[in-house]
Structure formats: C-alpha cells, structure tokens
Amino acid sequence: MNINVTLLWQMVFFVIFVWFTKKFVWTPIIGVINERKTTIADGLAAAEKGQRAEEDGLKKAEEVVADAKTRATEIISRAEKHGQELVEEAKSRARTEGERIVASAQDDIQTELNKAREALRGQVGELAVEGARKILDREIDSRAHADLLDRLAAKL
Amino acid sequence: MATAGELTSGEYIRHHLTNLTFGPRADGSWGIAQSAGEVAEMGFWAVHVDSLFWSFVLGALFVWFFSRIAKRMTAGVPGTTQGFVEMIIGFVEDNVRTTFSARNDNIAPLALTVFCWIFLMNLMDLVPVDLIPWLLDKAGIHYQKVVPTTDPNVTFGMSFSVFALMIFYSFKKKGAGGFAAELTMHPFESKNIVMKILFIPINFFLEIVGLVAKPVSHSLRLFGNLYAGEMIFILISLMYGSSVILSVSGGALQFVWAVFHILVITLQAFIFMVLTIVYMDMAHSHH
C-alpha cells in the first residue's frame, strides 16, 4: 500500500473521463431520449384527441339516430292518421255514391214505370177499343168515339 | 499458480500484491522496480503503471462504447445496444433525480462515469488472478495487478476528485460565508451569542472530522471490498498444484466466490455512485 503520484494521475483521468462523458455521452443521449419523450407525449395527446373526437362523433351519431327515430314515429303516426282519414273519406264517398246510384236507379225505375204505364195506357185504350169493336162489331166508329175512348184511357 | 515451483506461498501472495512501479531508483536513475522492497523505496514520485494503464483502458473503453452509441442514437425505435445503453442512462438518471435535489447538469454525467468506470475496473477481478500476470511474465513484465480498484491510489484518486468537486460546489452554491457557517454553526446551536462563539471550535472540529471522513470512507469502502475479494482469489489459487482434491475443491471455490463477487462488483460500483450523488447533494443544499 504505497500512496504515490498514481493518485494524482488517477484524478487527472477522472476529470478527463467525466468531462468526456458529459460532452459526448450524456448530453447527446439525454437529448435523444428527451426527443423521444416529446414524440411519445405528442402521440399520446393525439391519440387522446382522436379518442375524444370519436366519442363526440358517437354521441352526435346517437343524437342523430334518436332524432330520426322520433321523426320516423311522428311520420308513421301522421301517415296512419292520414290513412284513416282516407279510409273514412273513401267510406263516406262510397256511401254518398251508393246513395246517388240508388237514387238514380229509383229514378230510372220510376221513369221506366211511367213509360210502361204510358205504353200500357195506350195499349189498354186500343185493347178496349178492340174489345168493344169485337163486341159491337161495326156499330161503333172508332173515329166517332175516339174522343170518348181517349177520355177513358186517361182515366186509367 | 504458474511459478509455484520457485515461490513459497508468502512470496506468491506478496508478488501478487506488488504493482508494476515506475519511479526513481536508489541510484537516481528512473526505471521499473524489480522487487517489492524497491517499490517501497521509490517514495511519492513512483507511478503504478499497471493500475493507471488498466484504469485508463477501462475508462476509455467505457467512453468509447457509450459515445459510439450516442453518435448513432435514434429517437425512433432503439436497437438492442442502444436499449442497453439507455437502460443504464435511465438507471443513473433515476438515482440522481431521487437523491439530488438541486439542479446541476454535471452531476448525472459524473454519476454515470463513476458507476460504469468502477464497475469495469471491479470486473477485472473476475479475470483469473494468474492469467494476465502469467502472460505478461512471458513477455518480460514481472509485476502486474490488473484490478485498479485494489490500488488505494486509484480509489483515493477518485474519492478526492469527488471531494474536490464537493468543496468547489459548496463554495459556489453557499459562498465562503455560508460554507464556513455550515462548518461552525452545527451540530451545537444556541441563541446566546456568547454560547454561539463558544460552540464554534467544537462544531468546527466535529464538522471537519465528518468532512474528512467522507472521502476516506468513500474510497476505503471500495478499496477494502475489492482488495479482500482479490485476496480470497489469490488464496484460493494457492490451493492449485498442492494436491488433486485441493485443486478440484479450489476450482469449485473459485467459481462460487466469482459468482458471489459479481454482486460485490456491481454493489460497490453502485454504492460509490450513490455516495457521490449524496455528497454532491450535500454540497448544493442549504441548511
């Protein structure tokens, strides 16, 4: 165990190595590590931002869907109401139409009836005259008694 | 034990504990000491060539490896080597951040250098004790201690450097007055001015003892652990060549001690680093 000038040399080496480490090892490496740290921090922040945006989008989408649903229900109920109205309208129109048809049919019937009655009336006159001619043979002049016969026919 | 035939056990151990020393010989000329006795006679101006050589080579290896990686560093995905370097950097930075409360960009590089350099110097302890001395003996160099941290010159050199930095930062951060107050106003305090003055020499004595004890314990802790470990390796290697049973058990012992020593090597490097950071923190903090 001899303490000698080796000690001083070791101190010189110590200073050189510490200086060298600081200048060429520590500073560049820490610089790179810090650079990576900021990169990672930025990436994480961006990821968080993206996540938040996604959440916002989802929320918005949900809102849109909910809105669409309510509107769809509204539209459906309105359509149903409209349909019912249509049905009601059709029903009432059908009813009036039916009534109108029935009425016109009754009119037709009446007209036909009248026509038939008129025809019958004419024929009855003729038949009566024919009958009377057959009974009376030539005694009765149809022209002379036409007046009488017409009056008879009108009474029918 | 390459030279067992010619040496007694005592001579073998003594041989292993002698540095390759360059210095002034008794006749006034400079040269390599040829015996342990001659080394002792050389006095202060002698240089332990082996300690300084291994210390410098290992320190240079550390800065070369790390600066090479630092030059090729990428902020993107790191490779395996870069990951390894970053892991060590992160480990040291973590220690500095938790222990060192002030702000000083020099402390972390200092801690990194101390840790890696001492670790590498300690690691030389795992090289078989006789291997390098035997090879160099063939080349004509007769003394060689390959573990620089078993040389108190090396450990004191480092602890004194740290101590010098501690004094420097104490003056820089607290000023001469602040530093003097720190040395004289603690641990005994008093409101009374007379008592205060009376306490100054007592406090000063206690604080100076504490202050001087720091670099001494700092270096002796490292030196003691490594010196003892090296000694055990030397003693184990004495078992070789005496008998077959002793040789085999010596091999087993050497393996076990080497495995255990991995812990000591790392732990001592770590302790030296942590104490360096703690001393720097003390120099920076105000009381």
Side-chain angles (χ1 to χ4, degrees):
Chain A
M1 260 180 81
N2 308 294
I3 294 293
N4 52 33
V5 82
T6 311
L7 190 151
L8 297 179
W9 277 108
Q10 178 69 14
M11 288 176 84
V12 172
F13 290 172
F14 187 91
V15 171
I16 292 171
F17 284 138
V18 169
W19 171 80
F20 193 91
T21 304
K22 159 136 174 129
K23 194 161 166 59
F24 296 106
V25 175
W26 189 269
T27 311
I29 291 180
I30 280 295
V32 169
I33 287 175
N34 285 340
E35 195 182 313
R36 187 184 304 134
K37 240 184 229 168
T38 29
T39 314
I40 291 172
D42 288 353
L44 284 177
E48 206 176 318
K49 215 166 132 194
Q51 212 165 8
R52 219 175 300 136
E54 196 197 324
E55 273 166 25
D56 283 358
L58 268 175
K59 213 184 277 171
K60 216 174 268 176
E62 268 168 24
E63 272 169 21
V64 167
V65 166
D67 192 44
K69 257 183 201 164
T70 47
R71 230 187 295 170
T73 339
E74 203 180 295
I75 287 169
I76 287 169
S77 67
R78 221 191 295 160
E80 266 172 6
K81 218 163 94 191
H82 189 65
Q84 255 166 355
E85 274 171 11
L86 278 179
V87 167
E88 285 301 314
E89 204 186 306
K91 265 187 194 163
S92 68
R93 209 186 291 166
R95 208 174 295 134
T96 44
E97 188 75 0
E99 276 164 10
R100 198 180 58 79
I101 288 168
V102 168
S104 82
Q106 272 172 350
D107 272 8
D108 282 359
I109 290 167
Q110 200 61 48
T111 323
E112 287 297 316
L113 202 64
N114 288 348
K115 237 187 229 170
R117 213 174 264 163
E118 285 300 312
L120 210 60
R121 209 176 276 154
Q123 277 179 345
V124 166
E126 268 172 41
L127 274 172
V129 171
E130 195 69 34
R133 197 167 23 198
K134 289 248 169 97
I135 298 162
L136 301 172
D137 205 8
R138 280 177 192 172
E139 261 178 80
I140 297 161
D141 186 9
S142 63
R143 243 180 297 169
H145 299 286
D147 193 38
L148 190 85
L149 283 170
D150 275 347
R151 249 183 285 155
L152 190 74
K155 259 185 200 165
L156 278 166
Chain B
M1 199 169 157
T3 47
E6 308 106 53
L7 289 173
T8 65
S9 296
E11 279 169 340
Y12 172 75
I13 293 169
R14 201 174 162 75
H15 181 261
H16 260 292
L17 295 181
T18 305
N19 285 98
L20 179 69
T21 313
F22 180 84
R25 290 209 192 88
D27 59 9
S29 64
W30 286 63
I32 302 286
Q34 296 303 323
S35 69
E38 201 177 348
V39 170
E41 281 167 20
M42 280 179 170
F44 181 74
W45 292 106
V47 174
H48 292 164
V49 182
D50 45 3
S51 295
L52 282 181
F53 172 77
W54 290 111
S55 158
F56 186 81
V57 164
L58 294 167
L61 181 73
F62 153 68
V63 291
W64 169 75
F65 179 71
F66 271 61
S67 61
R68 203 178 62 117
I69 299 300
K71 216 181 282 172
R72 301 179 185 171
M73 282 283 277
T74 163
V77 181
T80 317
T81 329
Q82 190 186 327
F84 169 71
V85 167
E86 278 184 28
M87 194 185 73
I88 295 173
I89 297 266
F91 166 73
V92 172
E93 202 199 10
D94 209 45
N95 271 294
V96 172
R97 208 179 25 235
T98 50
T99 314
F100 187 72
S101 47
R103 264 205 66 84
N104 189 336
D105 289 341
N106 291 327
I107 302 309
L110 171 70
L112 176 72
T113 315
V114 160
F115 178 67
C116 293
W117 192 16
I118 292 178
F119 176 79
L120 287 175
M121 289 195 281
N122 290 353
L123 198 64
M124 290 304 286
D125 216 3
L126 292 183
V127 178
V129 274
D130 275 316
L131 180 65
I132 295 171
W134 177 71
L135 285 173
L136 286 173
D137 198 52
K138 296 273 171 212
I141 298 167
H142 301 297
Y143 291 102
Q144 191 67 212
K145 271 180 82 180
V146 292
V147 191
T149 38
T150 59
D151 185 345
N153 287 295
V154 170
T155 59
F156 272 108
M158 288 186 294
S159 75
F160 283 169
S161 304
V162 171
F163 186 65
L165 277 174
M166 192 183 164
I167 300 293
F168 170 71
Y169 282 125
S170 289
F171 271 106
K172 197 179 167 192
K173 297 288 162 183
K174 300 163 192 167
F179 189 42
E182 197 177 273
L183 288 177
T184 50
M185 299 302 165
H186 300 271
F188 296 112
E189 292 176 59
S190 175
K191 295 260 187 288
N192 189 322
I193 188 79
V194 180
M195 288 302 279
K196 220 174 199 173
I197 292 167
L198 225 109
F199 278 145
I200 283 176
I202 305 167
N203 284 335
F204 185 68
F205 174 72
L206 288 171
E207 285 291 325
I208 281 292
V209 168
L211 194 67
V212 170
K214 273 170 194 153
V216 174
S217 67
H218 198 190
S219 68
L220 283 184
R221 182 179 295 105
L222 176 64
F223 165 72
N225 273 281
L226 269 293
Y227 187 80
E230 177 82 344
M231 196 61 145
I232 302 279
F233 275 124
I234 293 169
L235 292 177
I236 288 169
S237 72
L238 273 176
M239 296 167 80
Y240 299 129
S242 40
S243 78
V244 175
I245 297 166
L246 273 179
S247 294
V248 171
S249 55
L253 268 177
Q254 188 174 349
F255 175 74
V256 171
W257 182 243
V259 170
F260 173 67
H261 220 61
I262 295 171
L263 178 73
V264 175
I265 284 166
T266 320
L267 199 64
Q268 287 308 318
F270 174 68
I271 288 171
F272 201 97
M273 176 189 80
V274 168
L275 282 176
T276 303
I277 302 170
V278 167
Y279 291 160
M280 288 300 121
D281 184 50
M282 283 175 170
H284 284 71
S285 60
H286 295 264
H287 290 286

